[in-house]
Amino acid sequence: MKDKDTNRDDGSIIFGSSQMREPAPAEFIPKHGTPAETAYQIVKDETFPQTQPRLNLATFVTTYMDDYGTRLMNEAVGVNYIDETEYPRVAVMCGRCINMVANMWNTPEKGDWKTGALGIGSSEACMLGGVAAWLRWRERRKSEGKPYDKPNLVMSTAYQVVWEKFCQLWQIEMRTVPITHKNPTLDINEAISMCDENTICVVPIMGVTWTGMNDDVQALDNALDKFNRKTGYDIPIHVDAASGGFIMPFLNPDKKWDFRLKWVLSISTSGHKYGLVYPGLGWVVWKDKKYLPKEMAFSVNYLGANITQVGLNFSRPAAQVLGQYYNFIHLGMDGYRAIHANSMDIAHYCHHSIGRIPCFRNYADKLDNPLFIWYLDPEYDKTAKWTLFDLQDKLMESGWMVPAYTMPKDIEDMVVMRIVVRQGMSRDMADMLIADIKSAVAELEKLEYPTPSRVAAINAEKQKGKVYTH
Ligand SMILES: *Cc1c(COP(=O)(O)O)cnc(C)c1O
């Protein structure tokens, strides 16, 4: 390809090439190719203005792995997990990971291979747990000669969106217990009062996405036990432990929320959240083979052992399994504990520092997980010219992504801001963040006129007839 100004043929001068003068392909596959170096540069630069992943405090998902973990994953990038015949050792590794996750959650299941599955994330893992609960319920209803066309599921309004998807896709009625300021986690009595003969399961959350708090699974288990005994139902629990599943075993091992509880029959988690693997990886484990409906399981025995395969996807990357197995071997229980204890420590430090800034109030006094939310002091809020959405924008200027959002249904008036502390966030970074928050607030306080987001908030309040003093 000749360059029109210089008449050069040399495609190796990347920024001297004709492609760098052209708009990037957006609609059609280009007729001719582009030299690798230039194509690489174009693609790379497209991502240039984005947030640095480690400054993204909005995500729960891993943004740092060490060099060896990264290398292993890169080296396996061409391996398709589903080709178990060609890559049987990956399937064995996956089985070992399921064993370790199951034992980490105190499974009572004996035998060489525990019952579980890998997923692309918690979403797939939650779906599999939900489907299994639905099929078990349906089987039971059929055997009793009762109708099985109106299944429902009970959880709090602070559910992650996957549960809405699950209920929509499988046509299961979603019964939600409101999260309120008085009851910031799943209200157990309310949950029980929503259960009936058509309830496929109750889904408490360890590490609620909206607040970082844990539902009280043990109290739910007790209440459900009484209810099941009284009614003759056998409504089980699926724990959505997307974040908490990899926190509790290390930081709070004595707390019972897992298979030590009678009605907890399945648990899901994200290997790519506090399992410390790059996306996407999820795990779901059942308490015993008998809780995994046969229709969902596909057994293979060519690996020298019976391995049960379950999943929504067929093809999927294998690299994440290598990353997880590497983390288990390299970090060990001690390593996971050390990393998560540091995250918790830094989260406490941020929580404390933010709580001391006069215009803020922390949502909770104590942290269940290394993440927390806070809001504008209600008195301050009445006269402020800015909102937390403005603060989010301001912090973007120094590279941080700290999200502001409205709370779920019933308390959707409340705007909060959240920080998720993960491996890769040091005390020094926390100090930089706190300093940036303080100077952003100082700048916002100098505003003479309300920001557009504040004006919108004032108008919304006016419509409700509230008094405001701006
Ligand atoms: C993140 C999350 C999910 C979805 O998990 P992915 O791994 O992103 O698919 C489900 N439930 C909860 C509570 C979560 O925090």
Side-chain angles (χ1 to χ4, degrees):
M1 233 177 294
K2 280 218 167 126
D3 189 273
K4 77 172 168 21
D5 296 330
T6 61
N7 219 22
R8 271 186 79 116
D9 254 335
D10 187 356
S12 72
I13 302 182
I14 295 170
F15 283 98
S17 67
S18 60
Q19 284 89 348
M20 286 301 185
R21 289 195 305 269
E22 303 292 329
E27 277 193 84
F28 301 101
I29 298 173
K31 186 148 187 268
H32 302 294
T34 296
E37 301 92 322
T38 309
Y40 172 87
Q41 196 68 44
I42 291 171
V43 176
K44 186 81 186 167
D45 288 355
E46 192 70 42
T47 67
F48 219 44
Q50 293 185 145
T51 305
Q52 293 292 315
R54 284 175 58 199
L55 299 184
N56 178 3
L57 303 184
T59 187
F60 290 76
V61 175
T62 301
T63 46
Y64 169 88
M65 281 182 79
D66 67 30
D67 288 344
Y68 286 99
T70 306
R71 200 206 287 179
L72 272 172
M73 288 184 68
N74 284 339
E75 286 164 0
V77 78
V79 178
N80 183 0
Y81 177 81
I82 206 69
D83 294 337
E84 290 190 340
T85 321
E86 295 86 333
Y87 314 117
R89 300 315 303 176
V90 179
V92 170
M93 235 184 266
C94 178
R96 289 176 181 170
C97 286
I98 290 171
N99 284 349
M100 291 181 197
V101 172
N103 283 321
M104 174 175 84
W105 294 336
N106 299 292
T107 181
E109 189 173 18
K110 301 283 180 273
D112 290 344
W113 301 103
K114 313 301 180 211
T115 308
L118 91 156
I120 284 291
S122 271
S123 299
E124 188 182 3
C126 290
M127 296 255 185
L128 293 170
V131 170
W134 167 59
L135 291 175
R136 291 197 309 265
W137 166 84
R138 201 178 66 162
E139 205 42 50
R140 181 163 187 248
R141 298 286 291 174
K142 275 187 186 168
S143 72
E144 291 170 345
K146 291 183 178 153
Y148 49 89
D149 58 341
K150 290 195 169 56
N152 71 65
L153 172 150
V154 175
M155 67 189 307
S156 89
T157 47
Y159 59 80
Q160 208 269 356
V161 67
V162 64
W163 292 104
E164 214 171 334
K165 294 182 192 170
F166 169 71
C167 289
Q168 282 290 342
L169 294 176
W170 271 271
Q171 289 294 292
I172 287 164
E173 182 198 345
M174 194 174 194
R175 296 188 176 169
T176 53
V177 182
I179 290 294
T180 60
H181 297 309
K182 210 173 112 253
N183 277 318
T185 58
L186 179 71
D187 184 312
I188 306 298
N189 293 331
E190 283 272 322
I192 297 292
S193 74
M194 287 185 187
C195 291
D196 60 24
E197 58 182 356
N198 290 318
T199 304
I200 64 167
C201 64
V202 183
V203 182
I205 303 167
M206 293 302 283
V208 173
T209 327
W210 301 78
T211 60
M213 298 166 89
N214 292 335
D215 288 337
D216 190 343
V217 189
Q218 189 164 21
L220 174 67
D221 188 69
N222 285 334
L224 212 45
D225 194 43
K226 283 203 195 84
F227 183 72
N228 283 339
R229 223 175 302 156
K230 196 177 78 188
T231 56
Y233 306 154
D234 53 4
I235 301 172
I237 296 171
H238 173 91
V239 186
D240 177 352
S243 312
F246 268 103
I247 293 290
M248 297 303 285
F250 306 107
L251 298 190
N252 204 351
D254 295 331
K255 176 99 185 148
K256 291 197 177 110
W257 63 275
D258 54 15
F259 291 124
R260 286 168 289 185
L261 301 176
K262 181 173 171 188
W263 293 98
V264 173
L265 302 191
S266 51
I267 304 174
S268 52
T269 195
S270 297
H272 60 211
K273 289 185 180 173
Y274 289 100
L276 305 177
V277 181
Y278 285 134
L281 181 68
W283 300 106
V284 56
V285 175
W286 286 272
K287 196 176 212 160
D288 191 272
K289 267 178 206 51
K290 66 178 182 235
Y291 301 118
L292 175 64
K294 286 183 197 61
E295 304 95 298
M296 290 174 67
F298 170 65
S299 253
V300 292
N301 63 4
Y302 46 75
L303 304 168
N306 236 5
I307 289 188
T308 306
Q309 221 188 47
V310 178
L312 297 181
N313 273 65
F314 187 67
S315 297
R316 65 174 81 239
Q320 284 74 1
V321 174
L322 274 68
Q324 185 76 82
Y325 192 51
Y326 165 77
N327 275 350
F328 286 157
I329 294 175
H330 169 55
L331 298 175
M333 292 294 288
D334 290 354
Y336 268 101
R337 191 174 302 119
I339 289 166
H340 293 338
N342 271 5
S343 293
M344 200 68 188
D345 210 60
I346 289 160
H348 274 129
Y349 173 71
C350 293
H351 184 253
H352 178 74
S353 308
I354 284 169
R356 284 181 49 190
I357 299 175
C359 61
F360 296 142
R361 290 284 170 273
N362 279 320
Y363 186 77
D365 295 332
K366 63 175 202 30
L367 305 191
D368 290 340
N369 293 289
L371 65 130
F372 64 95
I373 58 174
W374 73 94
Y375 55 99
L376 276 182
D377 174 73
E379 282 306 309
Y380 184 93
D381 195 39
K382 281 185 191 156
T383 56
K385 306 232 169 15
W386 54 282
T387 69
L388 290 176
F389 295 106
D390 300 308
L391 180 57
Q392 173 186 321
D393 289 348
K394 205 98 196 111
L395 288 172
M396 281 292 268
E397 290 170 16
S398 28
W400 301 104
M401 177 59 203
V402 185
Y405 57 91
T406 53
M407 290 290 274
K409 197 163 84 173
D410 304 310
I411 49 171
E412 71 267 30
D413 281 356
M414 184 178 218
V415 178
V416 298
M417 207 163 210
R418 185 182 71 194
I419 287 179
V420 179
V421 178
R422 304 178 304 275
Q423 176 175 221
M425 178 87 173
S426 62
R427 162 65 189 259
D428 182 42
M429 289 169 72
D431 280 325
M432 291 193 280
L433 171 70
I434 300 297
D436 285 338
I437 290 177
K438 284 180 179 162
S439 61
V441 168
E443 275 196 47
L444 289 166
E445 288 190 329
K446 284 190 212 135
L447 289 174
E448 263 186 73
Y449 302 104
T451 63
S453 89
R454 176 53 74 185
V455 171
I458 294 170
N459 289 339
E461 283 187 20
K462 254 193 218 164
Q463 280 189 343
K464 285 199 220 124
K466 277 198 196 161
V467 187
Y468 64 96
T469 49
H470 299 87

